[in-house]
């Protein structure tokens, strides 16, 4: 078994007890049903009876997943999703929308606003639990990817800064310049090789997640943006390795 295969279960599995879910619906019966169906699987479930109440809840912290009804008074599900995506654009919070029918226009509007998945009423217990589990796995995977890329970007930044410090300290000392820089280039070269596999693995995880959904959503685009940033950093580091000079 490859190292990548060994790592997959730790990334794709979730612990329901560590996952928080917000259910937004003006129907008390629907809320009670959804809370019961998810709580029995050990998820931490909270509820809101309106879009305004949901926004107040979010102001105190973001859940791992939001489930909202489409038709609600004052602020419907589409407007709620739009506000969430606008207010918390930098975070990945998957959203499932309840719809009373399979109306294609409603689904297109919801996707445009930022919904990630749909459930049609009346609620099917097994479909609800499966879609919640899949989206939470996607979120945990994406969170892992983002943290991994940020850590690698931090490492590359430290290495680059160390290289700059070394180059600056050796200015004017030509007799001792070659050996320290050659040593530093060897270190950078080794780190570059080590980072290639994690970046490729991160891309594979993103592609796999995208294949499982009708629309990968704005959040996966943000993940790809993070991946593009570290890829560009690696390309710059490759130039350093090839040329032996920074800049």
């Amino acid at each position: 078994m490859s190292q990548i295969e060994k790592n997959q279960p730790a990334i794709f599995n979730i612990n329901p007890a560590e996952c928080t879910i917000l259910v937004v619906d003006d129907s008390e019966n629907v809320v009670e049903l959804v809370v019961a169906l998810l709580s029995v699987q050990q998820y931490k479930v909270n509820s809101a009876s309106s879009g305004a109440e949901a926004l107040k809840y979010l102001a105190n912290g973001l859940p791992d997943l939001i489930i909202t009804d489409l038709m609600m008074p004052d602020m419907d599900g589409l407007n709620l999703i739009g506000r969430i995506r606008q207010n918390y654009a930098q975070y990945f919070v998957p959203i499932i929308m309840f719809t009373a029918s399979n109306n294609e226009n409603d689904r297109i509007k919801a996707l445009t606003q930022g919904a990630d998945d749909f459930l049609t009423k009346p609620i099917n217990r097994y479909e609800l639990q499966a879609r919640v589990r899949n989206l939470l796995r996607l979120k945990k995977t994406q969170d892992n990817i983002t943290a991994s890329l940020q850590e690698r970007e931090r490492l590359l930044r430290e290495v680059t800064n160390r290289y700059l410090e070394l180059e600056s300290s050796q200015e004017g000392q030509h007799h001792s310049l070659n050996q320290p820089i050659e040593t530093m280039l060897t270190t950078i070269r080794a780190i570059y090789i080590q980072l290639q596999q994690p970046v490729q693995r991160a891309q594979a995880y993103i592609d796999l997640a995208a294949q499982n959904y009708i629309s990968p959503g704005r959040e996966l685009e943000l993940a790809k943006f993070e991946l593009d940033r570290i890829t560009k950093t690696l390309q710059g580091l490759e130039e350093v390795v090839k040329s032996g000079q920074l800049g």
Side-chain angles (χ1 to χ4, degrees):
M1 181 181 294
S2 69
Q3 187 63 40
I4 293 178
E5 290 172 328
K6 290 179 181 178
N7 286 342
Q8 281 184 347
I11 294 177
F12 283 101
N13 288 343
I14 62 170
N15 180 359
E18 297 177 352
C19 299
T20 57
I21 300 172
L22 176 64
V23 180
V24 188
D25 200 305
D26 61 315
S27 170
E28 185 176 346
N29 291 335
V30 171
V31 170
E32 290 181 354
L33 175 61
V34 175
V35 170
L37 292 177
L38 296 179
S39 295
V40 74
Q41 293 196 316
Q42 307 305 313
Y43 294 113
K44 298 177 182 178
V45 188
N46 296 292
S47 64
S49 60
S50 67
E53 185 179 344
L55 291 177
K56 289 181 180 179
Y57 173 92
L58 297 178
N60 295 317
L62 297 179
D64 295 302
L65 173 70
I66 297 173
I67 303 174
T68 181
D69 190 22
L70 171 60
M71 302 302 296
M72 294 186 294
D74 299 327
M75 182 187 300
D76 64 17
L78 293 177
N79 287 327
L80 174 60
I81 292 176
R83 293 280 296 274
I84 293 172
R85 294 313 188 201
Q86 179 181 3
N87 295 344
Y88 306 99
Q90 69 271 40
Y91 300 105
F92 175 24
V93 182
I95 299 176
I96 297 176
M97 173 165 280
F98 282 142
T99 59
S101 68
N102 286 316
N103 186 293
E104 184 176 356
N105 289 332
D106 288 342
R107 289 175 177 259
I108 292 175
K109 290 178 182 178
L111 286 172
T112 301
Q113 289 293 85
D116 297 285
D117 209 343
F118 303 91
L119 278 171
T120 302
K121 294 180 179 180
I123 300 167
N124 179 291
R125 169 184 179 180
Y126 301 105
E127 183 180 13
L128 168 68
Q129 293 172 342
R131 291 184 183 276
V132 165
R133 181 179 63 252
N134 288 342
L135 275 176
L136 285 172
R137 289 172 65 192
L138 175 59
K139 174 177 172 51
K140 295 300 182 183
T141 299
Q142 178 132 343
D143 287 349
N144 184 284
I145 291 171
T146 300
S148 178
L149 294 181
Q150 289 174 345
E151 173 61 20
R152 280 151 182 77
E153 187 173 24
R154 181 195 64 78
L155 178 61
L156 285 171
R157 186 167 57 250
E158 288 184 0
V159 171
T160 302
N161 289 340
R162 180 67 185 93
Y163 184 94
L164 281 168
E165 291 172 2
L166 178 62
E167 186 177 54
S168 177
S169 67
Q170 294 296 331
E171 285 182 359
Q173 302 180 26
H174 300 291
H175 62 284
S176 60
L177 179 64
N178 292 334
Q179 185 60 39
I181 288 187
E182 180 58 34
T183 300
M184 196 62 195
L185 286 174
T186 300
T187 302
I188 293 177
R189 185 180 295 110
I191 293 174
Y192 173 75
I193 293 173
Q194 292 174 2
L195 288 177
Q196 283 181 309
Q197 185 182 31
V199 171
Q200 292 170 355
R201 186 164 63 244
Q203 181 66 69
Y205 287 146
I206 292 176
D207 291 342
L208 179 60
Q211 291 171 10
N212 292 329
Y213 292 90
I214 297 174
S215 171
R218 177 191 52 78
E219 294 79 16
L220 279 180
E221 293 179 2
L222 289 175
K224 289 184 178 181
F225 172 75
E226 292 292 335
L227 185 61
D228 289 341
R229 286 205 304 167
I230 197 169
T231 299
K232 291 177 181 178
T233 303
L234 285 172
Q235 291 172 345
L237 182 56
E238 183 178 25
E239 291 302 317
V240 171
V241 173
K242 289 180 178 179
S243 66
Q245 296 180 355
L246 190 66

mmCIF file of all heavy atoms in Angstrom, residues 50-72:
data_model
loop_
_atom_site.group_PDB
_atom_site.id
_atom_site.type_symbol
_atom_site.label_atom_id
_atom_site.label_comp_id
_atom_site.label_asym_id
_atom_site.label_seq_id
_atom_site.Cartn_x
_atom_site.Cartn_y
_atom_site.Cartn_z
ATOM 1 N N SER A 50 -35.543 31.220 11.464
ATOM 2 C CA SER A 50 -35.599 32.228 10.398
ATOM 3 C C SER A 50 -34.185 32.554 9.935
ATOM 4 O O SER A 50 -33.198 32.232 10.610
ATOM 5 C CB SER A 50 -36.273 33.507 10.902
ATOM 6 O OG SER A 50 -35.463 34.127 11.891
ATOM 7 N N GLY A 51 -34.116 33.233 8.789
ATOM 8 C CA GLY A 51 -32.818 33.638 8.279
ATOM 9 C C GLY A 51 -32.125 34.615 9.205
ATOM 10 O O GLY A 51 -30.916 34.539 9.425
ATOM 11 N N ALA A 52 -32.901 35.555 9.770
ATOM 12 C CA ALA A 52 -32.321 36.544 10.684
ATOM 13 C C ALA A 52 -31.744 35.870 11.921
ATOM 14 O O ALA A 52 -30.655 36.227 12.392
ATOM 15 C CB ALA A 52 -33.394 37.563 11.084
ATOM 16 N N GLU A 53 -32.459 34.894 12.452
ATOM 17 C CA GLU A 53 -31.966 34.174 13.628
ATOM 18 C C GLU A 53 -30.709 33.379 13.274
ATOM 19 O O GLU A 53 -29.775 33.277 14.081
ATOM 20 C CB GLU A 53 -33.041 33.232 14.154
ATOM 21 C CG GLU A 53 -32.651 32.539 15.455
ATOM 22 C CD GLU A 53 -33.751 31.628 15.982
ATOM 23 O OE1 GLU A 53 -34.907 31.755 15.515
ATOM 24 O OE2 GLU A 53 -33.447 30.786 16.861
ATOM 25 N N ALA A 54 -30.679 32.838 12.070
ATOM 26 C CA ALA A 54 -29.503 32.082 11.627
ATOM 27 C C ALA A 54 -28.268 32.986 11.551
ATOM 28 O O ALA A 54 -27.174 32.604 11.969
ATOM 29 C CB ALA A 54 -29.766 31.448 10.268
ATOM 30 N N LEU A 55 -28.433 34.191 11.034
ATOM 31 C CA LEU A 55 -27.313 35.120 10.926
ATOM 32 C C LEU A 55 -26.791 35.524 12.302
ATOM 33 O O LEU A 55 -25.576 35.697 12.494
ATOM 34 C CB LEU A 55 -27.728 36.357 10.128
ATOM 35 C CG LEU A 55 -27.996 36.127 8.633
ATOM 36 C CD1 LEU A 55 -28.481 37.403 7.970
ATOM 37 C CD2 LEU A 55 -26.745 35.605 7.924
ATOM 38 N N LYS A 56 -27.693 35.658 13.273
ATOM 39 C CA LYS A 56 -27.259 35.965 14.642
ATOM 40 C C LYS A 56 -26.437 34.820 15.204
ATOM 41 O O LYS A 56 -25.432 35.026 15.895
ATOM 42 C CB LYS A 56 -28.481 36.231 15.535
ATOM 43 C CG LYS A 56 -29.196 37.539 15.239
ATOM 44 C CD LYS A 56 -30.375 37.737 16.188
ATOM 45 C CE LYS A 56 -31.102 39.045 15.895
ATOM 46 N NZ LYS A 56 -32.270 39.240 16.803
ATOM 47 N N TYR A 57 -26.861 33.608 14.907
ATOM 48 C CA TYR A 57 -26.112 32.429 15.366
ATOM 49 C C TYR A 57 -24.715 32.409 14.741
ATOM 50 O O TYR A 57 -23.719 32.168 15.431
ATOM 51 C CB TYR A 57 -26.882 31.162 14.985
ATOM 52 C CG TYR A 57 -26.130 29.880 15.267
ATOM 53 C CD1 TYR A 57 -26.277 29.213 16.476
ATOM 54 C CD2 TYR A 57 -25.262 29.343 14.319
ATOM 55 C CE1 TYR A 57 -25.583 28.046 16.740
ATOM 56 C CE2 TYR A 57 -24.558 28.179 14.578
ATOM 57 C CZ TYR A 57 -24.715 27.527 15.788
ATOM 58 O OH TYR A 57 -24.017 26.374 16.039
ATOM 59 N N LEU A 58 -24.642 32.686 13.468
ATOM 60 C CA LEU A 58 -23.361 32.633 12.756
ATOM 61 C C LEU A 58 -22.397 33.702 13.250
ATOM 62 O O LEU A 58 -21.179 33.531 13.158
ATOM 63 C CB LEU A 58 -23.586 32.793 11.246
ATOM 64 C CG LEU A 58 -24.420 31.696 10.570
ATOM 65 C CD1 LEU A 58 -24.604 32.008 9.096
ATOM 66 C CD2 LEU A 58 -23.772 30.337 10.747
ATOM 67 N N ALA A 59 -22.918 34.794 13.752
ATOM 68 C CA ALA A 59 -22.059 35.865 14.258
ATOM 69 C C ALA A 59 -21.222 35.414 15.446
ATOM 70 O O ALA A 59 -20.179 35.995 15.746
ATOM 71 C CB ALA A 59 -22.904 37.081 14.645
ATOM 72 N N ASN A 60 -21.656 34.344 16.101
ATOM 73 C CA ASN A 60 -20.934 33.820 17.268
ATOM 74 C C ASN A 60 -20.045 32.631 16.930
ATOM 75 O O ASN A 60 -19.386 32.078 17.809
ATOM 76 C CB ASN A 60 -21.943 33.411 18.355
ATOM 77 C CG ASN A 60 -22.711 34.594 18.893
ATOM 78 O OD1 ASN A 60 -22.145 35.649 19.151
ATOM 79 N ND2 ASN A 60 -24.019 34.424 19.062
ATOM 80 N N GLY A 61 -20.038 32.238 15.675
ATOM 81 C CA GLY A 61 -19.189 31.115 15.276
ATOM 82 C C GLY A 61 -19.834 30.327 14.154
ATOM 83 O O GLY A 61 -21.072 30.185 14.113
ATOM 84 N N LEU A 62 -19.021 29.808 13.252
ATOM 85 C CA LEU A 62 -19.539 29.088 12.094
ATOM 86 C C LEU A 62 -19.640 27.592 12.371
ATOM 87 O O LEU A 62 -18.732 26.998 12.952
ATOM 88 C CB LEU A 62 -18.625 29.312 10.880
ATOM 89 C CG LEU A 62 -18.508 30.741 10.367
ATOM 90 C CD1 LEU A 62 -17.545 30.795 9.187
ATOM 91 C CD2 LEU A 62 -19.867 31.282 9.959
ATOM 92 N N PRO A 63 -20.738 26.959 11.941
ATOM 93 C CA PRO A 63 -20.855 25.507 12.061
ATOM 94 C C PRO A 63 -20.072 24.834 10.931
ATOM 95 O O PRO A 63 -19.525 25.504 10.047
ATOM 96 C CB PRO A 63 -22.357 25.272 11.906
ATOM 97 C CG PRO A 63 -22.786 26.371 10.979
ATOM 98 C CD PRO A 63 -21.929 27.562 11.329
ATOM 99 N N ASP A 64 -20.041 23.516 10.948
ATOM 100 C CA ASP A 64 -19.382 22.776 9.869
ATOM 101 C C ASP A 64 -20.294 22.604 8.666
ATOM 102 O O ASP A 64 -19.822 22.377 7.551
ATOM 103 C CB ASP A 64 -18.943 21.395 10.375
ATOM 104 C CG ASP A 64 -17.870 21.497 11.444
ATOM 105 O OD1 ASP A 64 -16.819 22.092 11.157
ATOM 106 O OD2 ASP A 64 -18.093 21.005 12.564
ATOM 107 N N LEU A 65 -21.606 22.721 8.887
ATOM 108 C CA LEU A 65 -22.576 22.513 7.813
ATOM 109 C C LEU A 65 -23.857 23.272 8.144
ATOM 110 O O LEU A 65 -24.243 23.366 9.311
ATOM 111 C CB LEU A 65 -22.883 21.015 7.665
ATOM 112 C CG LEU A 65 -23.999 20.613 6.691
ATOM 113 C CD1 LEU A 65 -23.559 20.859 5.250
ATOM 114 C CD2 LEU A 65 -24.376 19.147 6.887
ATOM 115 N N ILE A 66 -24.509 23.809 7.107
ATOM 116 C CA ILE A 66 -25.795 24.501 7.276
ATOM 117 C C ILE A 66 -26.835 23.825 6.394
ATOM 118 O O ILE A 66 -26.568 23.523 5.221
ATOM 119 C CB ILE A 66 -25.683 25.988 6.895
ATOM 120 C CG1 ILE A 66 -24.694 26.703 7.824
ATOM 121 C CG2 ILE A 66 -27.054 26.668 6.959
ATOM 122 C CD1 ILE A 66 -24.386 28.131 7.416
ATOM 123 N N ILE A 67 -28.004 23.580 6.962
ATOM 124 C CA ILE A 67 -29.145 23.065 6.200
ATOM 125 C C ILE A 67 -30.254 24.101 6.306
ATOM 126 O O ILE A 67 -30.683 24.451 7.412
ATOM 127 C CB ILE A 67 -29.645 21.723 6.771
ATOM 128 C CG1 ILE A 67 -28.516 20.695 6.789
ATOM 129 C CG2 ILE A 67 -30.819 21.197 5.941
ATOM 130 C CD1 ILE A 67 -28.895 19.381 7.466
ATOM 131 N N THR A 68 -30.716 24.609 5.172
ATOM 132 C CA THR A 68 -31.731 25.662 5.205
ATOM 133 C C THR A 68 -32.880 25.370 4.254
ATOM 134 O O THR A 68 -32.690 24.775 3.180
ATOM 135 C CB THR A 68 -31.125 27.034 4.856
ATOM 136 O OG1 THR A 68 -32.152 28.037 4.915
ATOM 137 C CG2 THR A 68 -30.515 27.044 3.467
ATOM 138 N N ASP A 69 -34.069 25.805 4.650
ATOM 139 C CA ASP A 69 -35.235 25.688 3.791
ATOM 140 C C ASP A 69 -35.182 26.784 2.730
ATOM 141 O O ASP A 69 -34.587 27.847 2.944
ATOM 142 C CB ASP A 69 -36.508 25.823 4.628
ATOM 143 C CG ASP A 69 -37.756 25.469 3.828
ATOM 144 O OD1 ASP A 69 -37.630 24.745 2.821
ATOM 145 O OD2 ASP A 69 -38.851 25.910 4.208
ATOM 146 N N LEU A 70 -35.821 26.533 1.589
ATOM 147 C CA LEU A 70 -35.882 27.552 0.539
ATOM 148 C C LEU A 70 -36.945 28.599 0.864
ATOM 149 O O LEU A 70 -36.676 29.800 0.857
ATOM 150 C CB LEU A 70 -36.194 26.905 -0.808
ATOM 151 C CG LEU A 70 -36.497 27.866 -1.968
ATOM 152 C CD1 LEU A 70 -35.314 28.783 -2.242
ATOM 153 C CD2 LEU A 70 -36.879 27.083 -3.219
ATOM 154 N N MET A 71 -38.162 28.143 1.183
ATOM 155 C CA MET A 71 -39.282 29.055 1.400
ATOM 156 C C MET A 71 -39.418 29.387 2.888
ATOM 157 O O MET A 71 -39.814 28.543 3.694
ATOM 158 C CB MET A 71 -40.575 28.428 0.878
ATOM 159 C CG MET A 71 -40.518 28.070 -0.601
ATOM 160 S SD MET A 71 -40.158 29.516 -1.644
ATOM 161 C CE MET A 71 -41.616 30.499 -1.330
ATOM 162 N N MET A 72 -39.067 30.632 3.257
ATOM 163 C CA MET A 72 -39.224 31.118 4.622
ATOM 164 C C MET A 72 -39.680 32.572 4.556
ATOM 165 O O MET A 72 -39.326 33.287 3.618
ATOM 166 C CB MET A 72 -37.901 31.016 5.393
ATOM 167 C CG MET A 72 -37.414 29.608 5.641
ATOM 168 S SD MET A 72 -35.941 29.555 6.712
ATOM 169 C CE MET A 72 -34.725 30.359 5.639
#
